């Protein structure tokens, strides 16, 4: 594929707001996970909750979009000079030539949960101030981002569970290649809600301790929330040092609604397709940011895929011990973490992992590793076997 320039990124999660907060936490090995005190949830688990969203106020002209998901989106859009870069892009390309490609898993479903607590006791009617289309509706996130900047290009929301905000890179790249737009905002948001916390608990997938990917005693995920955004631009030439989207690979297991293919066939296909799109060999990759959810089956399946492509040499790790599993926002968050690894010459290790599972064969890193990093593969694998791998790197 023709590489695309990633000219600006922004991020917010339980590690803090802005790229520096996440980079510092990675360097200091400081986790954002804490015992769950979200709403009235009665679960013995850890979550990565973003502080202060209760006090965030949505811009007055977008008041109908007020919900936890869009509040977190607004905080993210205000970080790292992102809004200023979008304004500059509008001047360069025009508002109708910039696309918006968002990903989310549950969107603002918390807003509906809160509305149901206030249903009319006799009629069952939801409160008049509940705005479904602007809050829970899956498209509400892209609608919010588009209106926030006054953009008029194509806008799409992908909801493919945990691969959502990785797959939006592919949607944007195809639309740019087709000439539909010249630049694109990609990324997305997912926020904590009772549906996901109790839902994953009912599946027996929630750990009672901070998650520990690839550990022999791993017992499940820690849920989190976060937002991340990137500005993709089509440029005929790239300057040395610019961050690039080099390749994308997507596949579907077609195996099971919630369990990955046990041999990692779909994941392996996505990784290999991404390398092919980038015109790179496995030995050209310096680091693999794993999906690494910390469940028994997911880690085992991904390990077979990664080992099958890269063997036992390429360093890899999961960063979910820092942020928790951000579900629909995992792809963009971990893509940005991969870019931070390149910019800071730092491979983040794995928090909370003590004893590596001897059945897993990949070169999994527990400790941080300070070495030059030029190209990274970032994996995101969702329910239903929806797989996506990205190749990111600097222009030479």
């Amino acid at each position: 594929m023709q590489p695309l320039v990633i000219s600006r990124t922004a991020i917010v999660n339980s590690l803090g707001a802005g790229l520096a907060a996440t980079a510092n936490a990675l360097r200091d090995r400081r986790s954002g996970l804490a015992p769950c005190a979200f709403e009235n949830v009665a679960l013995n688990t850890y979550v990565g909750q973003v502080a202060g969203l209760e006090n965030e106020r949505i811009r007055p002209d977008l008041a109908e979009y007020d919900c936890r998901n869009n509040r977190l989106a607004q905080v993210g859009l205000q970080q790292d000079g992102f809004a200023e870069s979008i304004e500059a892009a509008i001047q360069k390309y025009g508002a109708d030539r910039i696309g918006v490609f968002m990903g989310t898993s549950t969107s603002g479903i918390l807003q509906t949960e809160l509305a149901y607590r206030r249903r009319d006791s006799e009629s069952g009617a939801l409160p008049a101030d509940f705005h479904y289309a602007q809050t829970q509706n899956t498209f509400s996130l892209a609608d919010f981002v588009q209106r926030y900047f006054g953009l008029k290009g194509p806008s799409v929301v992908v909801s493919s569970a945990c691969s959502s905000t990785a797959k939006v890179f592919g949607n944007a790249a195809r639309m740019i290649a087709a000439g539909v737009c010249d630049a694109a905002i990609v990324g997305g948001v997912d926020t904590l809600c009772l549906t996901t916390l109790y839902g994953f608990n009912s599946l027996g997938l929630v750990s009672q301790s901070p998650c520990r990917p690839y550990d022999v005693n791993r017992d499940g995920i820690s849920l989190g929330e976060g937002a991340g955004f990137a500005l993709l631009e089509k440029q005929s030439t790239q300057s040395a040092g610019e961050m690039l989207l080099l390749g994308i690979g997507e596949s579907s297991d077609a195996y099971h609604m919630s369990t990955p293919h046990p041999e990692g066939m779909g994941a392996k296909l996505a990784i290999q397709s991404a390398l092919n799109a980038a015109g790179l060999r496995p030995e050209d990759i310096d680091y693999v940011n794993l999906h690494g959810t910390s469940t028994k089956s997911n880690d085992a399946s991904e390990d077979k895929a990664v080992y099958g492509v890269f063997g036992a040499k390429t360093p890899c790790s999961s960063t979910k011990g820092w942020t928790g599993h951000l579900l629909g926002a995992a792809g963009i968050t971990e893509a940005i973490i991969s870019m931070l690894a390149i910019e800071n010459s730092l491979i983040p290790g794995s928090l909370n992992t003590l004893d590596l599972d001897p059945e897993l064969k990949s070169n999994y890193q527990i400790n941080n590793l300070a070495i030059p990093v030029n190209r990274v593969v970032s994996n995101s694998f969702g329910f239903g076997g929806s797989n996506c791998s990205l190749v990111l790197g600097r222009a030479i």
Side-chain angles (χ1 to χ4, degrees):
M1 63 172 281
Q2 177 69 33
L4 294 172
V5 173
I6 305 173
S7 55
R8 184 68 69 177
T9 57
I11 189 172
V12 58
N13 51 57
S14 60
L15 300 175
L19 295 167
T22 293
N24 291 338
L26 294 173
R27 187 182 301 111
D28 298 341
R29 296 181 65 80
R30 174 178 54 81
S31 175
L33 299 179
C36 181
F38 180 73
E39 282 287 329
N40 59 351
V41 173
L43 293 176
N44 182 20
T45 187
Y46 281 66
V47 298
Q49 183 172 346
V50 176
L53 290 181
E54 295 76 12
N55 301 320
E56 178 72 15
R57 292 292 174 265
I58 290 290
R59 206 170 69 189
D61 60 308
L62 297 171
E64 289 186 344
Y65 292 78
D66 187 20
C67 66
R68 189 175 184 86
N69 221 49
N70 290 332
R71 290 182 184 188
L72 184 50
Q74 180 172 273
V75 174
L77 294 171
Q78 294 170 344
Q79 303 305 312
D80 303 304
F82 194 80
E84 291 79 3
S85 291
I86 299 306
E87 293 301 329
I90 292 172
Q91 294 301 315
K92 181 178 180 181
Y93 301 109
D96 59 342
R97 296 294 299 172
I98 301 175
V100 174
F101 303 88
M102 294 290 105
T104 187
S105 178
T106 55
S107 190
I109 197 170
L110 175 66
Q111 198 69 7
T112 302
E113 295 172 347
L114 297 176
Y116 265 77
R117 294 178 183 177
R118 298 189 290 125
R119 290 179 69 185
D120 186 280
S121 59
E122 294 185 2
S123 68
L126 293 169
D129 61 357
F130 171 58
H131 304 292
Y132 172 84
Q134 291 83 7
T135 56
Q136 188 195 318
N137 183 292
T138 306
F139 183 68
S140 63
L141 174 60
D143 194 20
F144 176 78
V145 172
Q146 195 171 37
R147 291 174 185 271
Y148 190 89
F149 291 116
L151 298 173
K152 299 176 181 178
S155 58
V156 170
V157 166
V158 174
S159 187
S160 58
C162 311
S163 64
S164 301
T165 51
K167 291 178 75 69
V168 293
F169 282 86
N171 287 72
R174 287 187 286 272
M175 294 290 263
I176 291 174
V180 178
C181 52
D182 299 314
I185 302 175
V186 299
V189 184
D190 244 343
T191 38
L192 292 170
C193 61
L194 280 69
T195 300
T196 51
L197 283 161
Y198 283 108
F200 277 96
N201 184 68
S202 69
L203 292 172
L205 296 177
V206 173
S207 176
Q208 294 185 1
S209 58
C211 68
R212 39 188 166 173
Y214 274 54
D215 193 290
V216 68
N217 294 312
R218 64 190 183 279
D219 60 356
I221 67 175
S222 300
L223 288 164
E225 58 186 357
F229 302 97
L231 174 60
L232 298 183
E233 296 187 64
K234 177 183 179 182
Q235 295 185 11
S236 56
T237 60
Q238 292 89 40
S239 302
E242 283 185 318
M243 194 64 68
L244 302 176
L245 173 65
L246 296 169
I248 305 163
E250 299 175 77
S251 70
S252 174
D253 282 7
Y255 173 76
H256 189 272
M257 288 184 67
S258 60
T259 302
H261 191 286
E263 298 301 318
M265 291 181 64
K268 184 177 180 180
L269 181 60
I271 296 169
Q272 190 62 62
S273 297
L275 290 173
N276 293 343
L280 295 173
R281 303 165 299 174
E283 53 267 36
D284 296 323
I285 302 301
D286 301 306
Y287 167 57
V288 180
N289 185 283
L290 302 169
H291 191 56
T293 61
S294 187
T295 67
K296 288 287 187 184
S297 59
N298 280 356
D299 286 2
S301 171
E302 185 174 12
D303 181 74
K304 289 179 180 177
V306 171
Y307 182 79
V309 175
F310 296 99
K313 184 178 180 181
T314 307
C316 59
S317 68
S318 165
T319 49
K320 287 185 169 60
W322 267 274
T323 63
H325 193 344
L326 307 189
L327 303 180
I332 182 66
T333 298
E334 290 158 19
I336 292 174
I337 286 176
S338 297
M339 291 182 243
L340 290 173
I342 294 171
E343 292 170 352
N344 293 279
S345 298
L346 178 71
I347 291 177
S350 181
L351 290 185
N352 314 317
T353 304
L354 299 176
D355 299 312
L356 282 177
D357 186 340
E359 297 295 322
L360 307 182
K361 299 178 179 179
S362 300
N363 184 16
Y364 194 81
Q365 301 295 306
I366 293 179
N367 299 314
N368 288 4
L369 191 58
I371 61 171
V373 182
N374 294 311
R375 298 188 184 96
V376 176
V377 166
S378 180
N379 288 338
S380 298
F381 305 137
F383 270 172
S386 174
N387 309 300
C388 185
S389 295
L390 306 175
V391 182
L392 305 155
R394 283 192 185 280
I396 299 174

